[in-house]
Amino acid sequence: MSHVGSDVGVRGSKEQEETRVHGEKPAPAEAWVGDHLPSHTRCFAKLTRPLLRLKEYNQTDIFLEDDINISEKIGKIGCSGISEQDKDLEKVESLKLSEEIQASGDVADTGEDFVSPWEVHSSSEAGIDYDKLIKRFGSSKIDDELTERMEKLTGKPVHHLLRRRKFFSQRDMKMILDMYEKQKPFYLYTGRGPSSEAMHLGHLIPFIFTKWLQETFDVPLVIQLTDDEKFLWKDLTIEEARRLAIENAKDIIACGFDVEKTFIFNDFDHISKSPAFYRNMVQVQKLVTYNQVKGIFGFGDSDCIGKISFPSIQASPSFSSSFPEIFNGRKDIPCLIPCAIDQDPYFRMTRDVAPRMGHIKPALIHSTFIPSLTGAQSKMSASDSNSSIYLTDTDKQIKTKINKYAFSGGGATVEEHKEKGGNCDVDVSYQYLTFLMEDDDKLEEIRKTYTSGELLTGFLKKELIDIVQKIVGEHRERRKTVTDEVVAQYMTPRKLKFDYPSPPVQTPGKKKKK
Amino acid sequence: MTDSHEKQNVGEDIVTPWEVESASEKGVDYDKLINNFGSKRIDEALLERIAKVTKKPVHHMLRRGIFFSHRDLETILDLHEKKQPFFLYTGRGPSSEAMHMGHLIPFIFTKWLQDTFDVPLVIQMTDDEKFLWKDMTIDEANRLAHENAKDIIACGFDMDKTFIFSDVEYISQSAEFYKNICRIQKLVTFNQAKGIFGFTDSDSIGKISFPAIQAAPSFSSSFPQIFGDKTNIPCLIPCAIDQDPYFRMTRDAAPRLNYIKPALIHSTFFPALQGAQSKMSASDPTSSIFLTDSDDEIKTKINKYAYSGGGATEEEHRAKGGNCEVDVSYQYLTFFLEDDQRLKELEKGYTEGTILTGELKRELTKVLQKIVGDHRTRRAAVTDEVVNQYMMSRKLKFDY
């Protein structure tokens, strides 16, 4: 399962898989169905709540017509014994009024949209309805009050991705801002599942924003490359997965993270070097049941045990105690995780176990998806070259792709366009500009004139082509300077430039929570 | 803890890595078990071959059928004949400080194997398993691993040939070990783990993925510091037969990893003092003889609690004789009395009724007092430094 929005890279972007879900309504070619997810278990992905909690739902929410397995499950719920561990979980759960429980459904299947860590698509041309999604997942919408507070505290305007609500949802951001206000530390954590060398624009978005967060708040950042996840989910050897991780690290470094504030690591190397990291993994593994991961991630009985326990590995970096070199052994430093919204299930699970481990729940800030070139009903995917702009594309390829494949919301003819205007909501080139164009005023100008029909599709696309060529070109140049030595610097476990006073010495009788 | 795949109905023996319960007074039906598990009995012919290949008499535990079942043992003997290497792998789940005599069995025998075949030995302390299954912290489990290591070292393993490791420490030290764990985890499905171990949906993901960790030391590539780049040196695993499921799973995965299947040699169960149907438990001091018991305690326990197969009265005993099959003192002697001759005498005499329970128990008391006493002495000499030496990841005295 992907660290970041299913199998690919940067949180939120998805790799397109070739298989298709049976019985799905005809989806555009870029539907991502995890090839690891057999069709009959796809529906489990909809049940993103632990099955134990089904009793909180209106039972009819669960009966999806073509999923016999769910009925089977339901039959089992409520009758067979709940283990001691789960009884404890229930006790803890019932205490919280948290957003994790209140949401009416993790299923994020609003009828038109479907969102899970492996699958994101919408039947609407305009894409996912994010308001509905927030309600489903139980996160909180980012509002003006929050962004204004951020601007006040940091003394600068928020990034355009935040201003335009490309980062649109959050959990516990208030806590992070409170910490910052009191000059108390926090850190950033994000990641990539390195399934291929083909990184695309969509992958960059969370890294661009994370870099801005690092600069703005001046905090450490850890970046996890989940090569073990890719190994488990794909037909790769361990060596290949590791190699991809190192290659992807170069692109990430080329985004411009400060080497003195950033630790990048790949699981295969780091787990077998870090007792503290591994201990947190095992603790999470003890606290999460198969039922829960089945409900949250849709695992099935024919999944391998590696996949089933993998979520604990994605959870572990949320705890500062996993990085004793950086945090001087402190376990009380909270974490903020920028990621695409489809990664939220991992961290709902993490937030659920954190208190039982004596740790602070990680805060989150979620992004929307960058649409596929061919339309907002799908996401950009690394395995479909027509759906994405790769970071290795030449200027010519960029121009061609945008001109040829970028879905247009403009009129069918110039006349029709001038008369009726263009639809920015479905126009992919315009949508891309909302992600990539920094100048608010210019963007607004484009929106007005395209909607009125004054600005033609060709010109709109030209704007985008210019910007993308610049971004990709600069990235390509910076990447060239990232040598193996530079990579080794970022990837060495070490103290960063931040100092933290040692934690208080624990008295011998004091036991760590199990 | 959970229903075993092997458990059929009430009245059947239960044998899983977490639960062993026999339906009959005599204990587990091992013939049935061999059948169920698909292993092979160690017969006379094999015993003779072992003696021939090693040029010495086989250990009494082999002779008496305490180590009674195997997989691929012949292959190991073939290798030894051709002077080709193999290594030994065994382990302990350090659930408490209270180790008892039953725990010693595989280690006593493994030491004999190490001495006889002159091969390296790796010993896995599954502190992560205990943490996952029991109500303890990781620190506690890890501490117990180090404590139990002292008892294991006191069995007399050769430091130059033995590597003892704790999972929690070694996984976060050894890239190769962790990679093998992942490779195995990729090949075993939840269905398989469920079928083999009886996991259910309400089990933690840690438990479900743990079996791969017990499997990984079966492969020499997990220990590059010992075996260099030799990734396929075969392994022989002495263990109690309830551990077999782990290694059935391992043997199933091995070919798909281009690894050699580990060979196994299984022991029977050591009965609890109160009889083959009761459970030995670290928290019940009357259930076994512990390695920390004093001479007095040993004597008292055997006299008071050891289940007797003798007659209810002396007359009845002299008339009908005693039943060695259910008599726990006799059973214990088969494990620990080295002298074949004496054992035979005792068996004959007890069965005929000429030897009384008291005498049997006295004999056992003497034997155990000596073994436990010697062990206590040797253990006292095992300092933390000594433990650290055994537990340090290093090249052993073997070259490959």
Side-chain angles (χ1 to χ4, degrees), chain B residues 60 63-64 66 324 329-351 355 360 363:
Chain B
H60 70 262
R63 238 175 10 251
R64 297 179 198 160
I66 287 164
C324 282
S329 303
Y330 177 76
Q331 290 300 317
Y332 276 31
L333 285 168
T334 62
F335 281 85
F336 295 112
L337 178 63
E338 290 186 25
D339 184 347
D340 277 352
Q341 182 88 320
R342 179 65 186 139
L343 184 69
K344 252 207 179 95
E345 272 170 29
L346 288 168
E347 192 204 352
K348 191 159 178 289
Y350 196 65
T351 312
I355 293 180
L360 200 62
E363 185 95 22

Side-chain angles (χ1 to χ4, degrees), chain A residues 99-115:
Chain A
E99 63 276 6
E100 283 91 349
I101 299 265
Q102 290 313 309
S104 59
D106 281 355
V107 174
D109 181 357
T110 63
E112 287 196 327
D113 303 337
F114 187 86
V115 176

Side-chain angles (χ1 to χ4, degrees), chain B residues 22-39:
Chain B
S22 70
S24 119
E25 249 194 334
K26 292 196 236 162
V28 168
D29 182 335
Y30 289 105
D31 285 321
K32 245 190 184 167
L33 199 55
I34 288 185
N35 230 358
N36 257 345
F37 280 13
S39 58

Side-chain angles (χ1 to χ4, degrees), chain A residues 83 85-86 228 231 234 236 238-239 268 271-275 278-279 282-283 285-286 288-291 293-294 301-306 308-309 313 512 514, chain B residues 128 131-132 134-139 142 168 171-175 178-179 182-183 185-186 188-191 193-194 201-206 208-209 212-213:
Chain A
S83 76
Q85 191 172 299
D86 290 324
D228 49 358
F231 166 71
K234 294 190 169 288
L236 291 171
I238 291 184
E239 289 64 38
F268 272 123
I271 289 172
S272 53
K273 270 189 211 158
S274 173
Y278 180 63
R279 279 174 176 231
V282 180
Q283 296 227 327
Q285 285 176 358
K286 185 173 179 176
V288 175
T289 66
Y290 176 57
N291 263 332
V293 297
K294 231 175 22 172
D301 290 7
S302 48
D303 280 316
C304 70
I305 57 181
I308 287 167
S309 65
I313 302 182
K512 225 167 50 165
K514 64 178 163 158
Chain B
D128 48 359
F131 166 71
L132 287 166
K134 295 195 173 280
D135 184 12
M136 60 171 80
T137 64
I138 292 184
D139 282 335
N142 184 245
V168 163
I171 291 173
S172 52
Q173 241 175 49
S174 169
Y178 180 62
K179 285 179 193 170
C182 283
R183 288 184 182 116
Q185 285 179 342
K186 187 173 178 177
V188 176
T189 65
F190 176 72
N191 268 330
K194 197 162 76 158
D201 290 9
S202 47
D203 281 317
S204 72
I205 58 180
I208 290 169
S209 59
I213 300 180

Side-chain angles (χ1 to χ4, degrees), chain B residues 232-244:
Chain B
N232 232 347
I233 295 182
C235 174
L236 170 62
I237 307 174
C239 60
I241 189 145
D242 63 342
Q243 297 297 301
D244 190 65

